[in-house]
Amino acid sequence: MTVLVCSDLDRTLIYSQAAFALDGPDEAMPRLVCVEFYQGAPLSYMTEAAARTLETLAASAVFVPTTTRTPEQYRRVHLLEKPPAYAICANGGHLLVDGEDDPSWSASVRARIADGCAPLAEIQDRLVRTGGEFVLKRRTASDLFAYTVVDRASLPPGWVDDLAGWCAERGWRTSLQGRKVYCLPACLTKAAAAAEVARRTGASAMLAAGDSLLDAELLEAARASIRPAHGELHDAGWTSPATAVTASRGVAAGQEITDWLLHRVENHR
């Protein structure tokens, strides 16, 4: 039986130094493995134990990194000795097969967005008009969605909620993750891309992991899923009957997630 394992990356499996959330004496800290460099500097890490477990997991199941990162951002991450056959990027907007973008999938996603959502330019205009000094950067991703990098300490009360309400009226949704505020078409989902990978691989079951509201549909679509005890879902108190929650926070939660996923895969055999 083929088991599909779809997992978010940032603050689920991999962590920047700011997200480690490690406590205790220095001599008790776990060994870490750098899995991403940006402009020549180390950026994202896993514990060494999590990296080993992930290799075993990828040999036992169809492991699919499932991220809101663009393909270019995803390609900076080196999780495994052998790259996964499938990867879901841009929150489901791109399906990579052996590292290459599947053009038919991308075209079908863009057609769905054009049919049911306000244009990206309208969202960008709103972000420009309502932004202030708290907005540090504005970006678009794969010409599919927009996001801003904000100073959380200076973020005006209610700004994200107001933006979310405005976006919802236009077929878009928002997500606040760390310092980034995402605006995405409501039909752009990781779950839809995961279902396509399940169809192609003939998977009999799916497991999933994620930490943000953009992962909620994916977690609900899985036979069993797990989220860390931090992040947007945790802050919102989100749960579902099939979703476990880690006991740990930060990079230690990433290790707990890989252990949990491998255990479920082995029990499915």
Side-chain angles (χ1 to χ4, degrees):
M1 293 184 180
T2 300
V3 179
L4 181 66
V5 178
C6 294
S7 179
D8 176 53
L9 296 180
D10 295 278
R11 298 190 176 217
T12 298
L13 288 186
I14 67 176
Y15 293 79
S16 67
Q17 186 174 352
F20 282 173
L22 290 171
D23 296 315
D26 290 344
E27 60 269 24
M29 293 298 102
R31 286 166 58 98
L32 300 177
V33 176
C34 181
V35 295
E36 179 188 16
F37 281 79
Y38 179 61
Q39 296 181 343
L43 182 60
S44 299
Y45 301 80
M46 305 174 70
T47 68
E48 187 177 58
R52 288 197 302 265
T53 300
L54 191 62
E55 290 286 353
T56 303
L57 176 66
S60 306
V62 178
F63 171 68
V64 183
T66 307
T67 179
T68 305
R69 288 176 176 235
T70 64
E72 295 76 19
Q73 292 167 334
Y74 163 71
R75 291 187 179 108
R76 298 197 306 251
V77 180
H78 300 282
L79 294 173
L80 303 167
E81 291 186 11
K82 180 182 178 181
Y86 293 94
I88 294 168
C89 297
N91 213 66
H94 291 278
L95 178 58
L96 305 188
V97 183
D98 294 327
E100 299 297 324
D101 190 38
D102 183 323
S104 63
W105 175 258
S106 295
S108 69
V109 169
R110 290 172 187 272
R112 288 200 304 272
I113 292 172
D115 284 343
C117 303
L120 174 60
E122 185 175 343
I123 309 304
Q124 291 176 284
D125 179 66
R126 168 77 179 197
L127 292 173
V128 170
R129 287 189 293 105
T130 63
E133 293 184 356
F134 61 91
V135 175
L136 306 178
K137 298 178 184 177
R138 297 182 182 90
R139 296 286 187 269
T140 60
S142 298
D143 291 325
L144 290 169
F145 60 88
Y147 65 93
T148 60
V149 179
V150 300
D151 177 358
R152 287 289 294 265
S154 302
L155 193 62
W159 185 83
V160 174
D161 290 339
D162 290 344
L163 177 65
W166 183 90
C167 283
E169 294 173 354
R170 290 156 179 81
W172 287 64
R173 57 180 172 165
T174 62
S175 174
L176 175 61
Q177 300 181 39
R179 298 190 305 140
K180 292 181 179 178
V181 180
Y182 290 91
C183 298
L184 303 95
C187 61
L188 183 65
T189 68
K190 295 178 178 181
E196 175 63 12
V197 177
R199 184 189 68 79
R200 296 187 186 195
T201 60
S204 58
M206 182 174 75
L207 305 174
D211 73 301
S212 82
L213 289 173
L214 298 178
D215 296 311
E217 291 150 314
L218 180 69
L219 300 186
E220 289 178 328
R223 175 173 294 182
S225 57
I226 186 169
R227 67 165 178 83
H230 62 248
E232 196 178 25
L233 289 176
H234 189 71
D235 292 344
W238 184 92
T239 187
S240 79
T243 303
V245 181
T246 64
S248 307
R249 296 170 55 86
V251 71
Q255 181 173 323
E256 193 175 335
I257 286 168
T258 57
D259 290 342
W260 186 94
L261 291 169
L262 179 59
H263 179 69
R264 292 306 183 280
V265 168
E266 291 177 339
N267 283 349
H268 190 76
R269 291 174 181 171

